[in-house]
Amino acid sequence: GRERVALRYNNSVAAWRKARKGRKPRFQSHIKAAIQAEEWNLFATDAEVLHELERNGNELCPLILQYREAETLHGTFVKPLKYNLDPLGRIHGNFNIPGTVTGRLSSDDPNLQNIPNKGGALIKSMYVSRFGSEGLIGQADYSQVELRVAASLFNETTMIDTYLRGEDMHLNTALDLFDQTKAQYAALDSHEQKRRRTQAKRINFGILYGGGPPALQAALRKEGDFLSLDECEELIERYFEVRPKLKAGIEALEALVCETGYLESFTGRRRRIPEVFSEDEQIVARALRQSVNFPVQNGASEMTLMSLVLIWQAMKEKGYRSKMILTVHDSIIFDLHVDEAYEVMALAKYIMEHVVELSSEVFPGLDWSWLKVPIVCDCEIGTNWKTLVDFDPDDFDEDELWERMEAKHAA
């Protein structure tokens, strides 16, 4: 008869792969034999292996990957929600102030912050306004705020100039990495343009998290770009060649934490990193990667936290029915009543972009002299969390906006 294969488990699929090779007549015997022989490495079925088999023309592997993704999404983000509903059918996540070492709020029970963009779109469509047909969902997001913080903290003039001119950071990084002019870049086919900009984007953000060649390789593989470790290492070396002050700033930061065992942010928040004193080189290397990320992510998170307080105070003073319901990294999500949706989003955008001037209402006496670039907030709005469309609350055509929202919802 037919054998049942638990597609979510690597062991089960590995045993099936062995069975297909004809080594044993019965499926279950392959599981036992493989465990005894410790041969799982010969029939690995993790995502990387399955992607490789898919590229080689295997038609089953993409189906297994899709099934695993759906199973994970259902088990993590859908099934548990029924235990988190209040009597009105609403979900309220918990937000924890000390939940992260960088100052960001974390979420649990349920965690509303880690719904993936890829594959999680259908789940996001479940999140709708409490106001029904008279409600919208809005999102105000700091644009590349961690890169803006890094450019300022490390005084990287090439990055600062890009932001002062209002240009595309990832595009300019790609031009620098591949030593091209904008005209030469424009002459490339669209696929190669996208590929190079994606490489630049992954390096820009990866460096802030202390990522090396393996991390860059893994990030690019998710984008369908399969570079070798040597190629990734060359890209990173080239990146630091064209961003010399960024490299010098990171090295100075690492030297400081190796001397003191801690780092302190501009708000006085400290992160202790005693692992830098370890005799294990791998532990020290991991600690140094964490030290690079702390001041950058903390600078962004402090802006978001101050914005949360300031927006809440302003909404309360104006008596809005709309609610601020969620923060995900550097973005703030709103449940909007349609009658005041544009006003609330305009208020949020203003506060987030002027948080430096307004911060004294929350945290008097902060020194912002280190910040050398403008802070930008991008807004989106839609009928649910999935169908958000770009939206500038200071300059928009209402009819055109609703046409885009309806088209996105219908899609």
Side-chain angles (χ1 to χ4, degrees), residues 44-79:
T45 58
D46 55 69
E48 184 174 340
V49 171
L50 293 180
H51 278 303
E52 182 68 31
L53 293 171
E54 178 185 0
R55 290 194 298 276
N56 292 334
N58 188 294
E59 297 179 358
L60 180 60
C61 288
L63 299 178
I64 295 175
L65 289 167
Q66 291 173 23
Y67 175 87
R68 286 182 177 178
E69 181 181 48
E71 178 73 18
T72 298
L73 291 171
H74 179 262
T76 306
F77 303 110
V78 178
K79 191 175 179 180

Side-chain angles (χ1 to χ4, degrees), residues 284-304:
V284 173
R286 183 167 62 250
L288 291 177
R289 288 195 298 270
Q290 294 171 350
S291 68
V292 172
N293 178 244
F294 171 72
V296 174
Q297 191 178 113
N298 174 257
S301 68
E302 299 289 16
M303 292 185 202
T304 304

Side-chain angles (χ1 to χ4, degrees), residues 207-252:
I207 293 300
L208 302 186
Y209 286 86
L216 176 60
Q217 183 186 54
L220 290 175
R221 285 190 172 188
K222 292 180 180 179
E223 303 286 349
D225 192 358
F226 297 90
L227 299 186
S228 68
L229 283 175
D230 288 341
E231 290 173 321
C232 290
E233 185 172 6
E234 289 175 5
L235 274 178
I236 293 175
E237 289 176 354
R238 174 60 181 163
Y239 181 83
F240 281 128
E241 287 177 6
V242 298
R243 302 282 188 270
K245 289 189 176 181
L246 185 66
K247 181 179 182 181
I250 290 174
E251 291 175 346

Side-chain angles (χ1 to χ4, degrees), residues 152-221:
S152 299
L153 285 176
F154 301 128
N155 197 30
E156 180 49 70
T157 53
T158 55
M159 298 174 70
I160 292 172
D161 290 344
T162 293
Y163 282 126
L164 290 176
R165 293 193 299 266
E167 295 178 349
D168 183 338
M169 173 60 70
H170 301 315
L171 171 58
N172 283 4
T173 301
L175 298 179
D176 291 337
L177 281 175
F178 298 101
D179 194 21
Q180 288 184 309
T181 64
K182 289 184 178 179
Q184 291 172 325
Y185 179 85
L188 300 171
D189 63 73
S190 58
H191 173 76
E192 185 61 20
Q193 287 183 14
K194 181 179 179 181
R195 178 173 176 266
R196 294 191 177 190
R197 187 182 182 279
T198 299
Q199 289 178 356
K201 179 179 180 179
R202 292 305 172 198
I203 294 176
N204 273 332
F205 287 117
I207 293 300
L208 302 186
Y209 286 86
L216 176 60
Q217 183 186 54
L220 290 175
R221 285 190 172 188

Side-chain angles (χ1 to χ4, degrees), residues 31 51 67 127 130 193 223 255-256 408:
I31 297 179
H51 278 303
Y67 175 87
Y127 292 86
R130 74 190 66 200
Q193 287 183 14
E223 303 286 349
L256 176 63
K408 187 72 174 287

Side-chain angles (χ1 to χ4, degrees), residues 397-411:
D397 181 287
E398 186 172 6
D399 292 336
E400 186 268 343
L401 175 63
W402 276 94
E403 286 179 5
R404 289 193 291 122
M405 284 196 293
E406 290 171 357
K408 187 72 174 287
H409 184 80

